[in-house]
Amino acid sequence: MQLHDALTNPKIFIGLDIHKKSWTVSIQTDLFFHKTYCMPSTAEDLYQYVEKTFPEYEVHLVYEAGCCGFSVARYFLNLGWTVLVVNPSDVKTGDKERYQKTDALDSKNLSNQLKAGVLKGIYIPTEQHEQFTTLARHRTQITKKLRQTKSHIKSMLLFHGVKVPDQFDNSNWSIDFITWLEELKFSNTCGNLALQGKIRMYKFIKSEYLEIANQMRRHCRKNVKKDYYLLKSIPGIGGYLASVIIAECGDLRRFNNEGQFSSYIGLVPGIYNSGDSEKCLGITPRSRSQLRSYLVEAAWIAIRKDAEMQQYYRKHQGKNVKSIIVKVAHKMARRILSVIKTETPYQINRNLVLENKV
């Protein structure tokens, strides 16, 4: 029966080890191993080879997620191939692979596991979604550069013994503080030139910082207006965070339940259970780290604005503060998925009102 299926519906399984300039390809059919070879990093070349060598075959392909993104996956999906992109950490390797690691062995291992059906792919975003995610991450990089530039300016003042007035000596840089910096004079022209250069850099990065956030909100209002305003209805989530959630997660309706969504963000604990022993390893390192960080910050705002969240926080008082705020962020994740799935704006303290009525 298996031989009959192989003859009537033949399949090939391709494992790709992708690099910038070259790909290592391992190909096998459902009956035999074909070969492993190296080729230029051109998707069209692989397509032509497969069409010439394996016409009428059902093609299954897999590669590990990395610096080359998902453009390769989308190209082959458009050809009607079945494509998996996997997290490198999810690819099983034996002890032998620790001591013998080559591109050829890696691609063959991927091909074997694809044929065995033990690989689980990650979400492949659309081109539009992937580019929006790139914009969101560019904003994160700009944020880091802004902090770095502010630190450089204050370090320069400290190094040269210039005291910052008490009203300006904090993390919030007001217009008055920038004016004070611009009017500050060193004893030598070189000091003035260095400071003015740093101020110009700060102003440019600050303008980029604000403009990119506006562009992200504008994009969401234009393309995903409904989801954008549903997310904004949740206390603690403003326009920028709503746009980051959409950029990092795409269409939230693809998650079947809040467990999947929380796991995707990284708001679940790592657990070690063996025999009679069980211990929590802390919050999982597998995460959308930036989004998780934003949600934890938003949780503090939600506690101030939402009585139900305050009640939930007080219920856990006495425990580690960091653990409690992660629990609040996890509760926010449930709310996020709920408003999108039900397509109903969040109503503040609705559950408390219902409890009082009962």
Side-chain angles (χ1 to χ4, degrees):
M1 182 67 180
Q2 290 181 350
L3 179 60
H4 175 73
D5 290 341
L7 292 174
T8 57
N9 188 28
K11 300 178 181 178
I12 63 168
F13 303 92
I14 303 175
L16 276 184
D17 192 74
I18 291 182
H19 295 284
K20 178 182 177 182
K21 295 183 179 180
S22 65
W23 294 351
T24 303
V25 186
S26 289
I27 304 176
Q28 59 183 304
T29 72
D30 36 18
L31 298 178
F32 60 89
F33 184 83
H34 177 57
K35 73 172 182 177
T36 297
Y37 69 100
C38 189
M39 60 171 285
S41 56
T42 306
E44 176 67 23
D45 290 353
L46 179 59
Y47 168 67
Q48 294 295 343
Y49 179 83
V50 171
E51 282 295 294
K52 180 180 177 180
T53 313
F54 299 98
E56 308 302 326
Y57 271 68
E58 183 181 318
V59 185
H60 296 255
L61 179 142
V62 63
Y63 69 90
E64 294 178 348
C67 62
C68 296
F70 298 94
S71 58
V72 174
R74 286 192 292 267
Y75 176 86
F76 291 122
L77 282 171
N78 289 333
L79 296 175
W81 293 10
T82 301
V83 180
L84 282 183
V85 181
V86 295
N87 187 323
S89 300
D90 292 338
V91 180
K92 297 178 181 178
T93 56
D95 183 68
K96 182 179 180 180
E97 281 75 18
R98 295 183 184 179
Y99 306 101
Q100 295 181 333
K101 185 184 185 308
T102 66
D103 293 344
L105 289 174
D106 288 346
S107 65
K108 190 172 182 179
N109 184 36
L110 285 170
S111 180
N112 290 335
Q113 293 191 38
L114 180 62
K115 182 178 178 179
V118 297
L119 293 176
K120 185 177 180 181
I122 61 176
Y123 173 66
I124 299 175
T126 64
E127 188 171 3
Q128 181 184 18
H129 174 210
E130 189 174 34
Q131 291 179 13
F132 185 43
T133 305
T134 300
L135 180 63
R137 292 179 181 177
H138 174 58
R139 210 290 187 147
T140 300
Q141 294 170 348
I142 291 294
T143 303
K144 291 178 181 178
K145 290 184 182 298
L146 182 64
R147 291 179 185 148
Q148 188 180 56
T149 304
K150 291 166 74 173
S151 177
H152 286 173
I153 292 174
K154 284 205 167 182
S155 295
M156 179 183 174
L157 297 179
L158 178 63
F159 184 79
H160 290 285
V162 178
K163 187 179 185 309
V164 177
D166 292 339
Q167 66 269 29
F168 299 142
D169 196 8
N170 54 63
S171 58
N172 298 316
W173 286 32
S174 63
I175 296 175
D176 290 340
F177 179 47
I178 301 301
T179 302
W180 179 82
L181 283 174
E182 290 175 329
E183 293 175 351
L184 182 64
K185 299 298 180 184
F186 283 83
S187 59
N188 189 280
T189 306
C190 294
N192 293 329
L193 291 174
L195 179 60
Q196 294 306 315
K198 291 181 183 297
I199 294 172
R200 285 195 301 272
M201 185 177 294
Y202 165 78
K203 286 185 172 181
F204 172 75
I205 295 174
K206 183 63 180 292
S207 66
E208 275 293 293
Y209 171 82
L210 297 173
E211 179 59 26
I212 294 172
N214 290 335
Q215 290 170 352
M216 290 177 63
R217 287 189 284 261
R218 195 179 304 122
H219 172 87
C220 290
R221 288 194 296 268
K222 181 179 178 182
N223 297 282
V224 282
K225 183 176 180 179
K226 186 175 184 179
D227 288 0
Y228 176 72
Y229 284 107
L230 284 171
L231 292 172
K232 280 191 66 179
S233 68
I234 301 173
I237 297 181
Y240 175 67
L241 179 52
S243 65
V244 171
I245 293 170
I246 293 169
E248 290 288 344
C249 302
D251 185 3
L252 277 73
R253 293 168 184 82
R254 65 188 175 88
F255 296 101
N256 295 325
N257 52 61
E258 66 87 17
Q260 284 186 1
F261 182 53
S262 297
S263 179
Y264 180 81
I265 299 171
L267 289 171
V268 292
I271 297 174
Y272 178 84
N273 187 321
S274 179
D276 296 330
S277 66
E278 179 175 331
K279 61 181 179 180
C280 179
L281 303 177
I283 196 165
T284 177
R286 293 185 61 146
S287 66
R288 293 278 172 159
S289 56
Q290 191 62 46
L291 178 56
R292 181 170 70 181
S293 175
Y294 282 148
L295 281 180
V296 170
E297 290 180 22
W300 288 111
I301 300 173
I303 291 170
R304 296 199 296 269
K305 292 185 175 182
D306 189 341
E308 186 179 344
M309 281 298 197
Q310 290 178 13
Q311 187 181 78
Y312 183 77
Y313 184 84
R314 290 193 177 99
K315 177 182 174 183
H316 294 88
Q317 273 188 320
K319 301 178 182 177
N320 184 292
V321 175
K322 292 181 179 179
S323 298
I324 301 174
I325 202 63
V326 170
K327 286 180 178 291
V328 176
H330 185 268
K331 191 175 180 67
M332 284 192 70
R334 295 202 298 269
R335 289 182 173 183
I336 288 169
L337 191 62
S338 177
V339 297
I340 296 296
K341 288 275 194 178
T342 61
E343 299 189 349
T344 305
Y346 181 75
Q347 298 178 25
I348 297 179
N349 302 329
R350 176 177 178 272
N351 291 336
L352 292 180
V353 172
L354 292 175
E355 288 176 8
N356 292 332
K357 285 184 179 179
V358 173

